[in-house]
Amino acid sequence: MNELKVLGACPLDCPDGCSWVVTVRDGKAAGLRGNPGHPYTRGALCTKVNRWLEQAERPDRILYPLRRTGRKGEGRFERIGWDEALGEIADRLERVVAEHGGEAIWPYWGTGTLGYVQGLEGNAGRRFFNVLGASAHHANICSAAGNAGLDHTLGSPGGMDPEDLAHSRLIILWGTNPLTTGHHVWKFVQAARREGAHVAAVDPVLTRTAAQADEHLAPLPGTDAALALGLLNVVVGLGAQDEDFLERRTLGWPEFRARIAEFPPARAAEITGVPAERIVALGERIARTRPTAIRATQGLQRHGGGGAALRTLACLPGVTGDWARRGGGLTFSTSGHVRLNREALYRDDLRPGPVRTLSMSRIGRGLLEVDDPPVAALFVIAANPAASAPHQGRVRQGLAREDLFTVVLEQFPTDTTDYADIVLPATMQHEHADLHEGYGHLYLTWNEPAVAPPGECLPTTETFRRLARRMGLAEPALQDSDEELAEQALSSGHPWLAGITLDRLRKEGFVRLAVPEPFLPYAEGFPTPSGRLEFVSGRAAAAGLDPVAGYTPPAEVTDPVRAARYPLALISAASHHFLNTVFGGNDELRRRAGGPVLRMHPADAAARGLEGGRRVRAVNDRGAFEAVLEVTDRVRPGVVATTKGHWAKFSGGANANAVVDERDTDLGGGPVFHDTRVEVEPAG
Ligand SMILES: Nc1nc2c(c(=O)[nH]1)N[C@H]1C(S)=C(S)[C@@H](COP(=O)(O)OP(=O)(O)OC[C@H]3O[C@@H](n4cnc5c(=O)[nH]c(N)nc54)[C@H](O)[C@@H]3O)O[C@H]1N2
Ligand SMILES: Nc1nc2c(c(=O)[nH]1)N[C@H]1C(S)=C(S)[C@@H](COP(=O)(O)OP(=O)(O)OC[C@H]3O[C@@H](n4cnc5c(=O)[nH]c(N)nc54)[C@H](O)[C@@H]3O)O[C@H]1N2
Ligand code: SF4
Ligand SMILES: [Mo]
């Protein structure tokens, strides 16, 4: 028997970026576990990815190229050969380019894998589409608003090292549910607690995480910036601001101080629905606790004012001076610290000229309204927009267009492959090579292929190398190997990548970024235009926004007209059992998830005469989805909560995105998943 251990990385859109070890026996993957040597993973994966190898063997895995035989949306296909599939795609693309120009092609990359080689925007596919002059794709669906907000205040969204939460004395888990969405950070929270740290959770829902915190504040969705300003009002009222830090490191303190003065606790309480005495108590705690850290993730920025929310939250440690202390500051995503050579990887210079950008979360509009030129060919790569993107009815209408040529690179028969003209079988992570970061830590990870792909599955990179050859595209950069792509990505020469080579990553599996230790990212100043933390932003002013950080109300939650028609604010956050829609087709994880559930406060249920356990419909003017009602005081009155990730085809034809608007956030052009109003009625 021949057994070996192969080091790899979890590819999923999760901050933890786990390092894993595949046991390969006689060429077959016989076991998968977390890498005990990785400081963040420490031997553990999660309840989802523990089923990875079982998932790879599922009978519904797509193993061969497929061509549609039924109507769009039906999901009926016949098996074809790669040669035939590539020939057909090449013909169609040539015709599309001749008729409409390259911009009529939309390469729609999703977050199925975050790998720099196979995944999100980084792969050889991007080069291929650049050569054709295809539209650019704005992968805004996850964190665009928060990144833009942080960028205005800090100049880079990188934030503190999440491992340094262990050094915090007060941790505010703000719109984040790590026990479900990235549990490895919890051991650093617990380490701080053993030293006496206090943990507060800010979430409209009493999540698994909030239930473990020392206190829980439940604001109305989308009102977090008002809460932050109310807390700061208390801090400043006690004179607890750090005058030295404010003087040396920040810009616009007098203006921001005036803004804070507009939010006494009573007003913050009125906006957020959090009792004033709770705001005062937490404000006082912040005032006396150094260092205080905020862990904020993507949940709270999926609102009309989501950019402003992160912009203002990042100001809080600017007032207390915590940005200068280990264990203080804010962490959102560490991606901004990963200084890879993205230009070399993307090769946008291969474009024949400037191209338009299409927004991932506005695919309905992109397919139905854009006409300069219209989208005539759609490539969906590691994405499932028919289940994950806002305003599902419109997305499906767009995908159903008879004149649209759709190619989907996939592993499983999703809601989106049902609309494909051609489906191409994609490898899974343990079958291909890739380079990863974790957006919740500071390590790079190399994923070595452990086993040969099943059936005729191909890595994304190889698919586009073959398609480029088939189309006679002579650009040599389209044929670079996976290892060459990784080496190019590592070639930025940035000091934080010093000594990190592909050889070393291969040998060691993962390497910590060569950042100064301890890592205080803004110790030498902030990478803003002024070099200071910007309470007042010239860039915001130039973009026609409020120059001073503040509170921007959500678009739909606080709209009185919509509130009258649709009294309940809907949150559809992470499911414990799925990763976005990945695993949404896994029988065991579906069984554990138990189908879509809608949580509602007893007062709201009583007002509607609804009892727990019955099927209900959440509805608004965009659409409806069904779920089983759970009556619980874990959600605040006026709010209902469900989870993302359920496949529409297993949920009565629609999921929560049927009712979500396609609208953009205030900054960054992100989606507004949790800024949604519905009414709930009995189903059937
Ligand atoms: N198990 C699992 N893990 C995941 C994912 C998954 O689907 N399942 N998704 C992955 C992805 S893609 C991402 S981006 C991350 C996201 O990681 P998180 O940000 O932790 O995930 P969410 O559950 O989207 O949102 C967190 C919390 O924000 C709350 N929330 C919503 N609106 C507001 C608000 O206005 N204010 C406040 N204070 N809180 C609000 C929600 O109730 C939710 O509990 O998780 C990743 N990890
Ligand atoms: N209502 C609601 N909707 C949401 C959210 C929410 O909070 N609420 N969250 C949003 C967030 S944070 C995100 S990030 C998006 C995610 O939205 P998408 O980016 O569309 O991600 P998924 O729906 O998980 O679909 C990923 C697909 O990629 C496939 N895949 C995985 N690995 C590979 C690979 O290596 N190659 C190929 N070709 N395919 C692969 C998987 O099988 C899966 O079908 O969803 C968003 N949608
Ligand atoms: S989904 Fe997150 S926690 Fe689970 S294995 Fe992947 S990186 Fe780790
Ligand atoms: Mo995400």
Side-chain angles (χ1 to χ4, degrees):
M1 192 178 68
N2 174 8
E3 178 170 304
L4 79 172
K5 306 261 187 216
V6 182
L7 289 174
C10 174
L12 297 178
D13 185 355
C14 165
D16 294 10
C18 284
S19 165
W20 73 26
V21 189
V22 188
T23 302
V24 180
R25 224 168 272 143
D26 298 326
K28 294 229 175 308
L32 175 72
R33 54 176 299 203
N35 182 352
H38 190 278
Y40 208 77
T41 310
R42 291 197 205 159
L45 297 173
C46 62
T47 115
K48 312 167 292 287
V49 175
N50 284 334
R51 312 200 83 82
W52 186 267
L53 295 181
E54 164 204 306
Q55 173 88 346
E57 301 272 315
R58 282 187 55 80
D60 59 348
R61 175 100 189 254
I62 296 168
L63 298 175
Y64 307 98
L66 304 171
R67 179 200 286 128
R68 179 165 63 89
T69 54
R71 278 183 297 116
K72 291 201 176 194
E74 279 183 355
R76 286 197 289 130
F77 297 97
E78 62 183 356
R79 179 178 165 182
I80 56 175
W82 267 102
D83 215 41
E84 210 179 339
L86 292 178
E88 197 162 319
I89 295 168
D91 282 354
R92 279 300 284 260
L93 287 183
E94 276 155 16
R95 274 194 277 147
V96 165
V97 173
E99 195 178 329
H100 303 282
E103 282 180 308
I105 305 169
W106 186 356
Y108 189 100
W109 280 282
T111 61
T113 164
L114 297 189
Y116 280 100
V117 176
Q118 306 297 342
L120 196 63
E121 298 185 74
N123 57 49
R126 178 158 174 153
R127 297 176 175 188
F128 169 84
F129 290 111
N130 284 341
V131 168
L132 294 182
S135 288
H137 172 70
H138 182 202
N140 66 332
I141 206 155
C142 185
S143 40
N147 282 333
L150 293 175
D151 192 46
H152 276 85
T153 302
L154 306 173
S156 125
M160 65 182 282
D161 182 351
E163 289 183 53
D164 277 345
L165 289 172
H167 300 282
S168 307
R169 306 291 299 170
L170 168 58
I171 298 174
I172 307 178
L173 300 170
W174 205 318
T176 185
N177 184 14
L179 287 178
T180 281
T181 57
H183 68 90
H184 294 85
V185 78
W186 196 248
K187 55 182 167 288
F188 302 100
V189 174
Q190 291 295 69
R193 279 179 136 175
R194 282 194 296 275
E195 301 297 319
H198 180 90
V199 177
V202 182
D203 196 310
V205 181
L206 182 73
T207 58
R208 250 173 223 260
T209 306
Q212 296 296 315
D214 299 307
E215 67 173 310
H216 172 218
L217 277 62
L220 265 174
T223 63
D224 299 274
L227 179 60
L229 290 162
L231 294 169
L232 281 171
N233 188 286
V234 178
V235 170
V236 174
L238 292 167
Q241 68 272 24
D242 184 334
E243 293 291 355
D244 180 57
F245 187 88
L246 287 166
E247 169 69 32
R248 288 190 303 114
R249 292 279 187 235
T250 70
L251 183 75
W253 172 234
E255 292 89 336
F256 190 54
R257 187 175 186 150
R259 174 60 40 87
I260 291 169
E262 295 166 17
F263 288 83
R267 179 167 179 228
E270 198 186 313
I271 295 171
T272 62
V274 176
E277 60 274 16
R278 300 288 308 278
I279 298 176
V280 171
L282 183 57
E284 288 174 354
R285 194 183 281 280
I286 294 170
R288 64 172 185 264
T289 315
R290 305 276 68 76
T292 289
I294 297 170
R295 167 73 170 174
T297 49
Q298 290 71 30
L300 85 143
Q301 42 107 61
R302 298 193 175 122
H303 296 276
L310 264 299
R311 186 177 166 204
T312 298
L313 254 62
C315 293
L316 199 153
V319 175
T320 58
D322 277 323
W323 279 118
R325 299 183 184 93
R326 187 175 196 190
L330 178 146
T331 133
F332 176 72
S333 157
T334 52
S335 295
H337 297 314
V338 185
R339 307 295 173 82
L340 295 173
N341 191 347
R342 292 183 172 77
E343 292 73 31
L345 193 59
Y346 298 170
R347 292 298 309 273
D348 289 344
D349 59 298
L350 294 173
R351 287 178 180 147
V355 297
R356 70 177 176 198
T357 298
L358 297 171
S359 156
M360 180 170 181
S361 67
R362 304 194 71 170
I363 178 171
R365 175 182 173 274
L367 295 181
L368 295 172
E369 287 172 25
V370 167
D371 62 357
D372 58 334
V375 175
L378 176 73
F379 272 73
V380 180
I381 306 160
N384 188 6
S388 287
H391 209 152
Q392 199 156 83
R394 268 167 67 85
V395 176
R396 285 171 180 260
Q397 207 188 325
L399 290 171
R401 265 177 46 202
E402 270 312 320
D403 60 336
L404 177 71
F405 179 62
T406 302
V407 179
V408 182
L409 279 67
E410 250 301 348
Q411 301 157 341
F412 294 98
T414 64
D415 290 331
T416 303
T417 58
D418 285 352
Y419 288 87
D421 292 286
I422 302 274
V423 181
L424 298 176
T427 43
M428 288 177 71
Q429 182 79 346
H430 57 301
E431 301 152 2
H432 60 223
D434 217 330
L435 173 70
H436 285 265
E437 62 175 45
Y439 61 90
H441 59 61
L442 296 173
Y443 303 83
L444 286 177
T445 315
W446 176 249
N447 178 75
E448 184 73 14
V451 298
E456 294 181 2
C457 294
L458 288 182
T460 307
T461 43
E462 181 58 19
T463 298
F464 285 106
R465 284 190 285 260
R466 291 189 188 189
L467 189 55
R469 292 202 294 273
R470 182 66 186 232
M471 292 183 72
L473 302 176
E475 168 55 50
L478 301 186
Q479 298 301 326
D480 286 355
S481 69
D482 295 355
E483 287 73 14
E484 283 166 332
L485 291 167
E487 276 166 349
Q488 290 156 11
L490 292 167
S491 73
S492 70
H494 192 279
W496 294 356
L497 291 177
I500 306 182
T501 59
L502 181 57
D503 278 350
R504 181 164 165 218
L505 278 166
R506 265 198 155 138
K507 243 178 252 135
E508 299 173 25
F510 62 88
V511 177
R512 185 169 166 91
L513 296 175
V515 294
E517 307 282 359
F519 183 52
L520 294 170
Y522 311 115
E524 308 297 326
F526 292 82
T528 52
S530 65
R532 290 162 170 257
L533 180 146
E534 297 194 346
F535 296 127
V536 172
S537 162
R539 287 179 295 164
L545 297 161
D546 192 338
V548 187
Y551 164 59
T552 302
E556 196 158 318
V557 172
T558 50
D559 174 348
V561 178
R562 285 198 78 85
R565 285 172 72 193
Y566 306 114
L568 299 163
L570 173 75
I571 288 180
S572 50
S575 158
H576 198 69
H577 307 284
F578 309 135
L579 196 301
N580 291 324
T581 69
V582 177
F583 303 114
N586 182 291
D587 300 319
E588 174 55 19
L589 289 168
R590 267 176 68 204
R591 190 189 64 73
R592 292 191 198 183
V597 170
L598 187 76
R599 290 182 163 168
M600 182 186 279
H601 191 271
D604 291 323
R608 290 166 180 76
L610 295 172
E611 273 167 34
R614 71 159 305 153
R615 280 196 82 73
V616 291
R617 252 161 61 91
V619 53
N620 63 19
D621 50 348
R622 293 174 207 114
F625 70 96
E626 291 194 4
V628 171
L629 188 69
E630 182 187 328
V631 178
T632 168
D633 58 10
R634 293 170 76 98
V635 289
R636 48 165 303 146
V639 174
V640 284
T642 186
T643 50
K644 63 174 165 173
H646 295 279
W647 289 13
K649 61 174 135 187
F650 299 143
S651 316
N655 67 19
N657 281 319
V659 296
V660 172
D661 196 5
E662 254 191 14
R663 175 191 292 123
D664 284 350
T665 51
D666 53 341
L667 291 175
V672 294
F673 293 109
H674 308 321
D675 195 352
T676 302
R677 283 197 160 274
V678 293
E679 180 52 292
V680 176
E681 55 191 38

